[in-house]
Structures are given as structure tokens and as C-alpha cells.
Amino acid sequence: MKNPNIINIEKTNEIALAKLRANYGNPATGYCEEEADALRAKILNAPNTEEIYEIKGTKYYVSVDGDDKNDGKSPESAIKTLDGINALDLKHGDAILFKRGDTFRFAAEILPPDGITYGSYGEGVKPQIFGSPENFAKNDTWEEIKPNIWKIDFPYPEAGGLVLDYGMIIGVLKKAKMIEGLQENGDYCHDLENNAFYMYCNSGKPSDTYHDIEIMPNIKLVRLLSSKDVTIDNICFKYSASFAIHAPDTEGNINITNCEFGFLGGTWFNDRVRYGNAIEFWAGAKNSKVENCWFYQTYDTALTWQGNFGKYGQSGIEYIDISYRENLFEYNNCDIEFFVGYNFPVENFRMENNIMRFTSMGWGTRTNDGGVRGIEGCVRAVTSRVSDNSCDLRSTYFTNNLMDCPARQTINWNIHPDQRKNIHASGSRLYIKSAYRTLEPCLQGLQTETDQPYDRRFAKNEQELREMFTLFEQGADIHWDED
């Protein structure tokens, strides 16, 4: 029987409910609740895209009540599907506007041409783009093949995640043991050869037990391939086992604002490790920003740039004029990550006014889920590698960021001593709660003035953290709760 206390939180912006999306089953309590609630409300209630950005070209409207035979040029003649969007002959300056309150599910990657804006219109919650092909709680074809083990057809790429009732249960993948390993509610496996998905449920048929069942296939929701001048605003991206937005070889001016990213990642790489990021810039980024977005429950890293081999080999890769501002991060394995070497330039990279909470307390850090990440923290970075393979680090700024109850590292950044003068950190606030710690050292990777790459420092208590954090920033506001 379905739990009567589960509320359809996909249909409200009411903050007391909305914030539970981050960890509905077991929400943590931090020290900065009011600040996080205020930022979350600001993100969720951002005005429609046309009120923020000037649309100079044709506006195309998309609604689940539309029809792909329509021209899409008014809300009354809206297009219906993601496939219909990709079929449009878009011009620089055009916009694709999704209707608020509507959910658009897996059909095809969105492949933005240059100069296009993607955003919202109408009223209600942000339009949602889900990797999950359907809400499988509304599918009555579940079949019990063994006691408490249920099967349903799933002819899609490999399932890297399962979310039940908006996060009340986040499934555990039993890839190695398959059906034999399914022993607790939410345990699952995917038989790719036979297009069969199996799940353990001891309360009867899953469609009678749960309000919402989202199975996450290994797909990318948006691919910005060598794109430039693209804006993505006011959209909710969820339930993909790969990336929400993958941006390889971008040529600049990528703006991602006022968006929501939840339950992303978990796909396998070479049967050895699992990964998946909310936003990934690959092999270069410049004149781009990610601002006023909410990231939660990312299996690997919420926001990252990396990559040393792109469209033009190793030439032309640069990370210049990048801004991450006023974003809220909750329950991600890692919040911000960047890796670079080969003397690639990094200039004017700004991480400012972000709130990072309960880092490494999400599903990507669990020890009972094969292919565990769990090695990172609030910021994970490498700008100097062994054999002096360093980037040309000209200027980075880490300003007025708040780290609230991280379970693992705070700053894990491998640098060359010569780079320290170009890292400008100020205004950090750290709140450490010992009860939430899953790894004793909470600081790793800060350099002293030595010639040794990977000269790391670890802090295991408040005194050590206060002393060692000065290697990164003087005067940080540090609080440590031993209870």
C-alpha cells in the first residue's frame, strides 16, 4: 500500500517541502538553514527567462499538451517533444521555452546550436527534463519472478540509479550478484542483454507500493558539442545516470542560470568505477557562468571542468573567465572539481558566494553501493601533477563561500608552490559537525612552500584545521562542533 504521507513534491515550490528533495529519506540538519532556505527559494522562484534575458530571435514554445506538427511559435501552437525541438531549423538568437509544470522525459539528447536560449514560460514549478523514460509507479506490468523480486521491461541504456518516492529510498545497484544480490527494498539490477530491470520490494507490486519510481539510464540530457553563445535557464534536470549537461570543446559564452539539478550520475566506466556529473565542461571553457543553480545528490561531482585532449588535440585548451556564483550544493559526493595540466592557462576563475552543504553525505559516497566514489569533498582540484605537469595558473578566486557540515574533505587541491600567489581566497566560513564525519581528516592537498607536488596536509581536529587552513586562506571563519 502506498505511503499516505508521501506528498507529490514535484508540483510545489513551497520551500519546506522542496528542500527535502535533496535527501527526502534522511535529511540532515546544518548550521546555516536560513541562508540555504533563502538561496533555495531565490533559485526555485526565479522569474521566467524572458524577464531575465532579451530574446532577439523567434521564440518556440514546448508543452506536453502540444503537437510536433505545430510550428511552436505561440503557447497555443506549442511543440510537444524533445525530438520536435531537435527537428527545428533554429537560428542564432532564437529561444526554446518549456512550459512550467510540465515534465519532458527521455527521448533524445538536446543538441543546442550556437546562439540559442533554452528557458521557461508560464506559471508553476520549473519545467522538468528527466532521463527516466517514465514514472514506473504508473506502469502495472511489474511481474514477481521470485518472492519479493519484481521485473519490468527496460529496453534502454544501462540503469545507473533508482529513486523511489522522490528520494525516500535511493536504490542500491547489485551489478555483480544481479538477482541473487537483491535482498532489501530498493536493491536493483539491470539485465541489458534481455532488457529486464529487477527490483526488490517486500510490500507487494512496486506500482501499488510507491507513488514515484524513477529508473536512471546512462544518457546525457544536453550535449553542448563545440557550442558557443548558449543560455540554459530555469529548467529542472533529473534522473540521468550520466550528465545533465555535457559541454565538450565549447567555444565560449555558455550561461547556465536558475536551474535545478538532482539525482544524477552513477553510470559505470570499464566495470571499475562509477561517475556522472551535473555539469561538465570538457577540454576548455571561457567566458562562461553557472549561477543561481541548485545541485543535489550528484553521484560524482556537481560542477566540474577538466580534460586535456579535445577537438584540436592539446592545442587551444584554456579555462578563462569562468564564474560559479550563488549556487546551492547539497548531498553531492563532490561540489566543485577541476583538473588541468600541460601548461594550459587558467585565468579569472571565480568561485563566489556558493553554499556547500552535507558534502559527501549523498548516494555517491555510500559504502554499500558498488563502484563507490566517496574520495572527494567540497572542492577537489589538481593544477599540478607529478613530473611537474602543471597548468599556467594565472588567477583564481575563492570568495565568500560557505561549507556547512561536510562529511569528508573541505579543500583538496594539489598545487605547485609557485601557484599559491595566484590563488586568492577570502571570506570562507566552515561549519564542521563531528557527528556527520565519515572520514577523519577534513583537509587535504594544501601545499607548503616545498618543491614536492602532492605535499598534503591533514586536519583531524579544530586546532589542526585552524592552523592548516591558513595555507589556503588567512582569517577564515571556522566552527567545529564535537557533539
Side-chain angles (χ1 to χ4, degrees), residues 410-431:
T410 52
I411 306 293
N412 182 339
W413 188 343
N414 296 319
I415 66 173
H416 189 280
D418 289 343
Q419 296 175 338
R420 291 188 65 194
K421 64 182 180 297
N422 295 324
I423 298 174
H424 309 284
S426 63
S428 296
R429 285 187 289 155
L430 286 71
Y431 295 83

Side-chain angles (χ1 to χ4, degrees), residues 144-150 179 182-183 199-202:
E144 190 173 27
I145 61 165
K146 289 185 177 182
N148 301 326
I149 295 179
W150 298 84
I179 295 176
L182 308 186
Q183 299 179 353
M199 183 178 78
Y200 187 95
C201 179
N202 64 7

Side-chain angles (χ1 to χ4, degrees), residues 122-386:
E123 299 179 352
V125 298
K126 296 182 190 295
Q128 298 165 332
I129 296 178
F130 288 176
S132 176
E134 61 180 280
N135 176 0
F136 289 90
K138 297 181 179 180
N139 190 321
D140 200 41
T141 63
W142 291 93
E143 174 188 1
E144 190 173 27
I145 61 165
K146 289 185 177 182
N148 301 326
I149 295 179
W150 298 84
K151 170 188 173 184
I152 199 166
D153 289 340
F154 194 76
Y156 303 101
E158 184 173 16
L162 170 69
V163 181
L164 305 175
D165 281 348
Y166 317 106
M168 183 62 71
I169 295 175
I170 304 175
V172 175
L173 174 60
K174 302 294 183 179
K175 183 171 183 175
K177 296 182 179 180
M178 298 294 282
I179 295 176
E180 290 72 19
L182 308 186
Q183 299 179 353
E184 298 183 7
N185 289 332
D187 287 354
Y188 74 95
C189 61
H190 183 196
D191 181 352
L192 279 165
E193 183 177 352
N194 296 297
N195 294 327
F197 182 91
Y198 300 92
M199 183 178 78
Y200 187 95
C201 179
N202 64 7
S203 302
K205 182 180 286 191
S207 54
D208 294 334
T209 302
Y210 299 107
H211 296 264
D212 189 76
I213 300 174
E214 305 291 352
I215 304 174
M216 299 161 52
N218 177 11
I219 62 169
K220 298 174 179 64
L221 301 181
V222 179
R223 192 195 298 260
L224 296 168
L225 181 59
S226 300
S227 300
K228 62 182 178 181
D229 305 330
V230 173
T231 294
I232 299 173
D233 175 71
N234 261 305
I235 299 174
C236 171
F237 297 94
K238 296 174 75 170
Y239 308 129
S240 164
S242 183
F243 307 125
I245 299 176
H246 186 225
D249 301 303
T250 60
E251 297 185 14
N253 195 28
I254 306 298
N255 303 302
I256 303 170
T257 56
N258 307 308
C259 289
E260 177 183 342
F261 299 87
F263 297 106
L264 296 159
T267 198
W268 281 87
F269 179 71
N270 290 338
D271 285 336
R272 183 176 56 87
V273 68
R274 291 165 74 183
Y275 71 97
N277 307 315
I279 300 175
E280 178 179 277
F281 292 95
W282 182 266
K286 58 186 178 181
N287 191 28
S288 295
K289 67 181 180 182
V290 180
E291 297 183 358
N292 206 52
C293 293
W294 181 24
F295 300 87
Y296 55 89
Q297 292 289 7
T298 314
Y299 191 90
D300 188 349
T301 303
L303 189 49
T304 181
W305 53 256
Q306 54 186 287
N308 56 25
F309 199 91
K311 180 178 179 182
Y312 305 106
Q314 288 188 1
S315 65
I317 294 177
E318 55 187 8
Y319 296 94
I320 296 176
D321 295 334
I322 302 170
S323 171
Y324 297 166
R325 295 184 65 253
E326 297 184 1
N327 300 293
L328 175 62
F329 301 87
E330 296 182 298
Y331 301 98
N332 304 295
N333 172 60
C334 181
D335 296 320
I336 296 174
E337 176 186 75
F338 48 99
F339 300 131
V340 67
Y342 298 98
N343 205 37
F344 299 153
V346 176
E347 183 173 356
N348 195 29
F349 174 36
R350 296 181 175 272
M351 298 165 277
E352 300 175 328
N353 301 304
N354 300 290
I355 298 177
M356 294 168 266
R357 311 178 76 220
F358 316 127
T359 310
S360 299
M361 290 175 62
W363 72 301
T365 320
R366 298 185 301 191
T367 58
N368 64 339
D369 208 347
V372 147
R373 304 290 307 179
I375 57 174
E376 285 128 343
C378 299
V379 176
R380 175 72 177 102
V382 175
T383 53
S384 176
R385 301 175 184 269
V386 177

Side-chain angles (χ1 to χ4, degrees), residues 39-201:
L39 180 53
R40 189 184 301 105
K42 178 173 175 282
I43 295 166
L44 292 178
N45 296 302
N48 277 323
T49 304
E50 288 183 88
E51 299 177 50
I52 302 171
Y53 294 97
E54 181 182 3
I55 309 300
K56 296 182 178 180
T58 301
K59 289 176 284 189
Y60 294 93
Y61 297 85
V62 189
S63 167
V64 294
D65 297 323
D67 190 321
D68 285 349
K69 296 178 181 178
N70 291 339
D71 63 13
K73 294 182 179 181
S74 70
E76 294 73 29
S77 61
I79 297 167
K80 184 179 182 65
T81 70
L82 302 181
D83 283 319
I85 294 171
N86 286 338
L88 292 172
D89 182 19
L90 297 172
K91 302 292 192 301
H92 200 286
D94 290 350
I96 303 292
L97 302 177
F98 297 89
K99 185 178 180 181
R100 286 181 177 267
D102 283 0
T103 300
F104 305 88
R105 291 184 173 271
F106 167 72
E109 293 179 353
I110 297 176
L111 302 170
D114 293 347
I116 307 302
T117 296
Y118 294 80
S120 65
Y121 78 97
E123 299 179 352
V125 298
K126 296 182 190 295
Q128 298 165 332
I129 296 178
F130 288 176
S132 176
E134 61 180 280
N135 176 0
F136 289 90
K138 297 181 179 180
N139 190 321
D140 200 41
T141 63
W142 291 93
E143 174 188 1
E144 190 173 27
I145 61 165
K146 289 185 177 182
N148 301 326
I149 295 179
W150 298 84
K151 170 188 173 184
I152 199 166
D153 289 340
F154 194 76
Y156 303 101
E158 184 173 16
L162 170 69
V163 181
L164 305 175
D165 281 348
Y166 317 106
M168 183 62 71
I169 295 175
I170 304 175
V172 175
L173 174 60
K174 302 294 183 179
K175 183 171 183 175
K177 296 182 179 180
M178 298 294 282
I179 295 176
E180 290 72 19
L182 308 186
Q183 299 179 353
E184 298 183 7
N185 289 332
D187 287 354
Y188 74 95
C189 61
H190 183 196
D191 181 352
L192 279 165
E193 183 177 352
N194 296 297
N195 294 327
F197 182 91
Y198 300 92
M199 183 178 78
Y200 187 95
C201 179

Side-chain angles (χ1 to χ4, degrees), residues 375-449:
I375 57 174
E376 285 128 343
C378 299
V379 176
R380 175 72 177 102
V382 175
T383 53
S384 176
R385 301 175 184 269
V386 177
S387 302
D388 199 30
N389 180 4
S390 302
C391 74
D392 178 12
L393 184 60
R394 300 171 184 172
S395 57
T396 66
Y397 301 85
F398 189 81
T399 308
N400 298 330
N401 295 290
L402 190 162
M403 291 169 273
D404 187 9
C405 296
R408 288 180 175 253
Q409 281 90 9
T410 52
I411 306 293
N412 182 339
W413 188 343
N414 296 319
I415 66 173
H416 189 280
D418 289 343
Q419 296 175 338
R420 291 188 65 194
K421 64 182 180 297
N422 295 324
I423 298 174
H424 309 284
S426 63
S428 296
R429 285 187 289 155
L430 286 71
Y431 295 83
I432 308 299
K433 180 181 283 193
S434 295
Y436 288 164
R437 303 294 299 167
T438 58
L439 186 72
E440 189 176 23
C442 72
L443 180 70
Q444 176 182 348
L446 301 183
Q447 300 288 326
T448 59
E449 294 291 351

